[in-house]
Amino acid sequence: MTEIADPRDRLIVALDLPSVRAAEALIDRIGDAATFYKIGYQLGYAGGLALAERLAGRGLKVFLDLKLHDIGNTVEEGVRSASGSGATFLTVHAYPQTMRAAVRGRGAGLKILAVTVLTSYDDADAAEAGYGLPVAELVAKRAAQAAEIGIDGLVCSAAEAGAVRRVVGPDRLIVTPGIRPAGAEAGDQKRVMTPGDARRAGIDHVVVGRPITGAADPRAVARAIVADLA
Ligand SMILES: O=C(O)c1cc(=O)[nH]c(=O)n1[C@@H]1O[C@H](COP(=O)(O)O)[C@@H](O)[C@H]1O
């Protein structure tokens, strides 16, 4: 687990919103309660990649959640292009070829996170997708491969954080979506945990979307999550 001076940096707010205007309005409402924002498919394909540079220019931290997975050359060059965006984190799927390519394309200042097994998957979903291992074993196997390849951090559920920490050691980042404050709707997430329990499990950062984006008072929810993480 890395030392993080400002506890707000542990919360990454997922800007899963339909437009840059909606994202900017949410960031304004959250104000200084959050410092780290994630831009994924929904916003990225709606002009959000340019927003990433603007947010980084304002001193906010940006996680580009592109979940790259393609032939090695395409991943390497894609990561090289993203290295100029000002983002702090970029995701790729945790396949060995893809991870090696991402490490080759990684520029200074950009950390590559490998997505082990999506938090919307349980063992039945993994079996349906053709994997012969339960989720926990697949996560541990991919985490070991990621560490061997030199990936900076892992995305997994907080339920696997302890096992992943044992595999990757203290210096690699563990970033966990599937986070729900007590009583919040899980939605399509299957491997969920509260922020406080995730922190006690040894995570570095949590990713939270709908519990904040859908809240009547997103600033209050962000503040409560940061307090729970501290
Ligand atoms: O890479 C991710 O960020 C990610 C990986 C994963 O396994 N599960 C997962 O939910 N995510 C992302 O984390 C966010 C979770 O959003 P909520 O379920 O709304 O909190 C979404 O933007 C997902 O794309």
Side-chain angles (χ1 to χ4, degrees):
M1 208 173 354
T2 49
E3 287 301 319
I4 293 181
D6 185 341
R8 296 175 302 172
D9 288 348
R10 293 201 185 274
L11 168 63
I12 300 171
V13 178
L15 292 171
D16 293 332
L17 293 164
S19 68
V20 169
R21 182 191 286 215
E24 286 176 332
L26 181 73
I27 293 165
D28 281 351
R29 290 184 72 195
I30 292 175
D32 65 2
T35 54
F36 211 147
Y37 288 95
K38 181 172 87 76
I39 295 173
Y41 293 174
Q42 188 184 8
L43 184 60
Y45 290 129
L49 297 182
L51 177 67
E53 281 188 47
R54 290 208 299 282
L55 294 182
R58 280 169 51 184
L60 291 165
K61 296 193 178 60
V62 177
F63 172 173
L64 269 187
D65 182 18
L66 302 184
K67 290 194 183 69
L68 300 178
H69 181 45
D70 205 316
I71 62 168
N73 181 66
T74 301
V75 171
E76 179 178 342
E77 297 305 338
V79 170
R80 195 161 281 129
S81 294
S83 292
S85 66
T88 301
F89 293 161
L90 172 71
T91 42
V92 303
H93 280 289
Y95 289 79
Q97 268 190 18
T98 297
M99 294 191 286
R100 284 188 202 103
V103 166
R104 286 196 299 273
R106 172 179 58 189
L110 182 67
K111 291 191 161 69
I112 305 294
L113 305 180
V115 180
T116 55
V117 177
L118 293 166
T119 53
S120 59
Y121 277 53
D122 61 15
D123 288 344
D125 297 307
E128 185 188 20
Y131 295 112
L133 294 176
V135 166
E137 286 179 37
L138 196 50
V139 169
K141 177 175 179 165
R142 289 179 168 172
Q145 290 173 330
E148 169 75 28
I149 288 166
I151 287 287
D152 303 290
L154 284 306
V155 178
C156 59
S157 94
E160 297 102 41
V164 168
R165 183 63 73 201
R166 283 191 289 281
V167 170
V168 303
D171 296 331
R172 272 171 236 280
L173 298 167
I174 299 181
V175 179
T176 56
I179 295 296
R180 290 292 180 266
E185 291 276 324
D188 54 353
Q189 299 285 7
K190 292 194 179 151
R191 303 188 340 267
V192 298
M193 203 178 267
T194 66
D197 286 345
R199 180 86 174 91
R200 283 183 282 279
I203 61 86
D204 295 289
H205 302 272
V206 297
V207 177
V208 184
R210 288 162 288 184
I212 294 176
T213 59
D217 187 346
R219 175 177 170 82
V221 176
R223 286 172 71 105
I225 291 172
V226 170
D228 200 14
L229 287 168

